[in-house]
Coordinates of all heavy atoms in Angstrom, one line a residue:
F25 N 8.6 14.2 -5.2 CA 7.7 13.3 -5.6 C 6.5 13.9 -6.1 O 6.0 14.8 -5.4 CB 7.3 12.2 -4.4 CG 6.2 11.3 -4.6 CD1 6.3 10.3 -5.5 CD2 5.1 11.4 -4.0 CE1 5.2 9.4 -5.8 CE2 4.0 10.6 -4.2 CZ 4.0 9.5 -5.1
S26 N 5.9 13.4 -7.2 CA 4.6 14.0 -7.7 C 3.9 12.9 -8.5 O 4.3 12.0 -9.0 CB 4.9 15.2 -8.5 OG 5.6 14.8 -9.7
V27 N 2.4 13.2 -8.5 CA 1.7 12.4 -9.5 C 1.2 13.4 -10.4 O 0.7 14.5 -10.1 CB 0.5 11.7 -8.7 CG1 -0.4 12.7 -7.9 CG2 -0.3 10.8 -9.7
N28 N 1.1 12.9 -11.6 CA 0.6 13.8 -12.8 C -0.6 12.9 -13.4 O -0.3 12.2 -14.3 CB 1.7 14.2 -13.8 CG 2.8 14.9 -13.2 OD1 2.6 15.8 -12.3 ND2 4.0 14.4 -13.4
P29 N -1.8 13.2 -13.1 CA -3.0 12.4 -13.7 C -3.3 13.1 -15.1 O -3.2 14.3 -15.1 CB -4.0 12.5 -12.6 CG -3.8 13.8 -11.9 CD -2.2 13.9 -11.9
I30 N -3.5 12.3 -16.0 CA -4.0 12.7 -17.3 C -5.3 12.1 -17.6 O -5.5 10.8 -17.7 CB -3.0 12.3 -18.4 CG1 -1.6 12.9 -18.0 CG2 -3.4 12.8 -19.7 CD1 -0.4 12.2 -18.7
A31 N -6.3 12.9 -17.5 CA -7.7 12.4 -17.7 C -8.2 12.4 -19.3 O -8.3 13.5 -19.8 CB -8.7 13.2 -17.0
G32 N -8.3 11.3 -19.8 CA -9.0 11.1 -21.1 C -10.4 10.7 -21.1 O -11.0 10.6 -20.0
H33 N -10.9 10.5 -22.2 CA -12.4 10.1 -22.2 C -12.6 8.7 -21.7 O -13.8 8.5 -21.1 CB -13.0 10.3 -23.6 CG -13.2 11.9 -23.9 ND1 -14.0 12.6 -23.4 CD2 -12.5 12.7 -24.7 CE1 -14.1 13.9 -23.8 NE2 -12.9 13.9 -24.6
E34 N -11.7 7.8 -22.0 CA -11.9 6.4 -21.6 C -11.1 5.9 -20.5 O -11.5 4.9 -19.9 CB -11.5 5.6 -22.9 CG -12.4 5.8 -24.1 CD -13.8 5.5 -24.0 OE1 -14.2 4.6 -23.4 OE2 -14.6 6.4 -24.6
K35 N -10.0 6.6 -20.1 CA -9.2 6.2 -19.0 C -8.4 7.3 -18.5 O -8.3 8.4 -19.1 CB -8.3 5.2 -19.4 CG -7.2 5.6 -20.4 CD -6.4 4.4 -20.8 CE -5.2 5.0 -21.7 NZ -5.2 4.6 -23.1
M36 N -7.9 7.2 -17.2 CA -7.0 8.2 -16.5 C -5.6 7.4 -16.5 O -5.5 6.3 -16.2 CB -7.5 8.5 -15.3 CG -6.5 9.6 -14.7 SD -6.9 10.0 -13.1 CE -8.5 10.9 -13.2
E37 N -4.6 8.2 -16.9 CA -3.3 7.7 -16.7 C -2.7 8.5 -15.5 O -2.8 9.6 -15.4 CB -2.2 7.9 -18.0 CG -2.8 7.0 -19.0 CD -1.8 7.1 -20.2 OE1 -0.9 7.9 -20.2 OE2 -2.0 6.2 -21.1
F38 N -2.0 7.8 -14.6 CA -1.3 8.4 -13.5 C 0.1 8.1 -13.7 O 0.7 7.1 -13.7 CB -1.6 7.7 -12.1 CG -3.1 7.5 -11.9 CD1 -3.7 6.3 -12.2 CD2 -3.8 8.5 -11.3 CE1 -5.1 6.1 -12.0 CE2 -5.2 8.4 -11.0 CZ -5.8 7.1 -11.3
E39 N 0.9 9.4 -13.9 CA 2.4 9.4 -14.1 C 3.0 9.7 -12.7 O 2.8 10.7 -12.1 CB 2.7 10.3 -15.1 CG 4.3 10.2 -15.2 CD 4.9 11.4 -16.1 OE1 4.3 12.4 -16.1 OE2 5.9 11.1 -16.8
I40 N 3.7 8.6 -12.2 CA 4.2 8.7 -10.9 C 5.8 9.2 -11.1 O 6.4 8.5 -12.0 CB 4.3 7.4 -10.1 CG1 2.8 6.9 -9.9 CG2 5.0 7.5 -8.8 CD1 1.9 7.8 -9.1
V41 N 6.2 10.2 -10.5 CA 7.6 10.8 -10.8 C 8.2 11.1 -9.5 O 7.8 11.6 -8.5 CB 7.4 12.2 -11.5 CG1 8.8 12.8 -11.8 CG2 6.6 12.0 -12.8
V42 N 9.6 10.5 -9.5 CA 10.5 10.6 -8.3 C 11.7 11.3 -8.9 O 12.5 10.7 -9.7 CB 10.8 9.4 -7.6 CG1 11.7 9.8 -6.3 CG2 9.5 8.8 -7.1
N43 N 12.0 12.5 -8.6 CA 13.2 13.3 -9.1 C 14.3 13.3 -7.9 O 14.0 13.7 -6.9 CB 13.0 14.7 -9.5 CG 12.1 14.9 -10.7 OD1 12.3 14.1 -11.7 ND2 11.0 15.7 -10.6
N44 N 15.5 12.8 -8.4 CA 16.6 12.9 -7.5 C 17.2 14.3 -7.7 O 17.7 14.6 -8.8 CB 17.6 11.8 -7.7 CG 18.8 11.9 -6.8 OD1 19.1 13.0 -6.2 ND2 19.7 10.9 -6.8
V45 N 17.0 15.2 -6.7 CA 17.5 16.6 -6.9 C 18.8 16.7 -6.2 O 19.2 17.9 -6.0 CB 16.4 17.7 -6.4 CG1 15.3 17.5 -7.2 CG2 16.1 17.4 -4.9
S46 N 19.4 15.7 -5.8 CA 20.8 15.8 -5.1 C 21.8 15.3 -6.0 O 21.7 14.9 -7.0 CB 20.7 14.8 -3.8 OG 20.9 13.5 -4.1
S47 N 23.1 15.5 -5.5 CA 24.2 15.1 -6.2 C 24.7 13.8 -5.8 O 25.8 13.3 -6.2 CB 25.4 16.1 -5.8 OG 25.1 17.3 -6.3
N48 N 23.9 13.0 -5.0 CA 24.2 11.8 -4.6 C 23.2 10.6 -5.2 O 22.0 11.0 -5.2 CB 24.3 11.6 -3.1 CG 25.2 12.6 -2.4 OD1 26.5 12.4 -2.8 ND2 24.9 13.4 -1.6
P49 N 23.6 9.4 -5.4 CA 22.6 8.5 -5.8 C 21.5 8.1 -4.6 O 21.9 8.3 -3.5 CB 23.4 7.2 -6.1 CG 24.7 7.4 -5.7 CD 24.9 8.9 -5.3
L50 N 20.3 7.8 -5.0 CA 19.3 7.5 -4.0 C 18.9 6.1 -4.2 O 18.8 5.7 -5.3 CB 18.1 8.5 -4.1 CG 18.3 9.8 -3.9 CD1 17.1 10.6 -4.0 CD2 19.0 10.1 -2.4
S51 N 18.8 5.5 -3.0 CA 18.2 4.0 -3.1 C 17.0 4.0 -2.2 O 17.2 3.9 -0.9 CB 19.4 3.1 -2.7 OG 18.9 1.8 -2.5
F52 N 15.9 3.8 -2.7 CA 14.6 3.7 -1.9 C 14.4 2.1 -1.8 O 14.3 1.5 -2.8 CB 13.5 4.2 -2.8 CG 13.5 5.7 -2.9 CD1 14.1 6.4 -3.9 CD2 12.9 6.5 -1.8 CE1 14.1 7.7 -4.1 CE2 12.9 7.9 -1.9 CZ 13.5 8.4 -3.0
E53 N 14.1 1.7 -0.6 CA 13.7 0.4 -0.3 C 12.2 0.3 0.1 O 11.8 0.9 0.9 CB 14.6 -0.2 0.8 CG 14.4 -1.6 1.1 CD 15.3 -2.2 2.2 OE1 16.6 -2.0 2.1 OE2 14.9 -2.5 3.3
F54 N 11.6 -0.8 -0.6 CA 10.2 -1.0 -0.4 C 10.0 -2.5 0.2 O 10.8 -3.3 -0.2 CB 9.5 -0.9 -1.7 CG 9.5 0.4 -2.4 CD1 10.6 0.8 -3.0 CD2 8.7 1.3 -2.1 CE1 10.8 2.0 -3.7 CE2 8.7 2.7 -2.7 CZ 9.8 3.0 -3.5
P55 N 9.1 -2.6 1.1 CA 8.9 -3.9 1.7 C 8.3 -5.0 0.8 O 8.2 -6.2 1.1 CB 8.0 -3.7 3.0 CG 7.4 -2.5 2.6 CD 8.3 -1.6 1.7
T56 N 7.6 -4.5 -0.3 CA 6.9 -5.4 -1.3 C 7.1 -4.7 -2.8 O 7.8 -3.6 -2.9 CB 5.5 -5.4 -1.0 OG1 4.9 -4.1 -1.3 CG2 5.1 -5.6 0.5
S57 N 6.5 -5.3 -3.6 CA 6.6 -4.9 -5.1 C 5.6 -3.8 -5.3 O 5.6 -3.1 -6.4 CB 6.3 -6.1 -6.0 OG 5.1 -6.4 -5.9

Side-chain angles (χ1 to χ4, degrees):
F25 170 66
S26 62
V27 60
N28 302 314
I30 302 161
H33 287 283
E34 301 297 321
K35 69 178 183 255
M36 181 180 298
E37 291 188 351
F38 306 99
E39 181 187 36
I40 304 299
V41 179
V42 183
N43 291 315
N44 180 347
V45 295
S46 76
S47 298
N48 299 306
L50 297 178
S51 180
F52 291 90
E53 185 177 295
F54 299 84
T56 71
S57 61

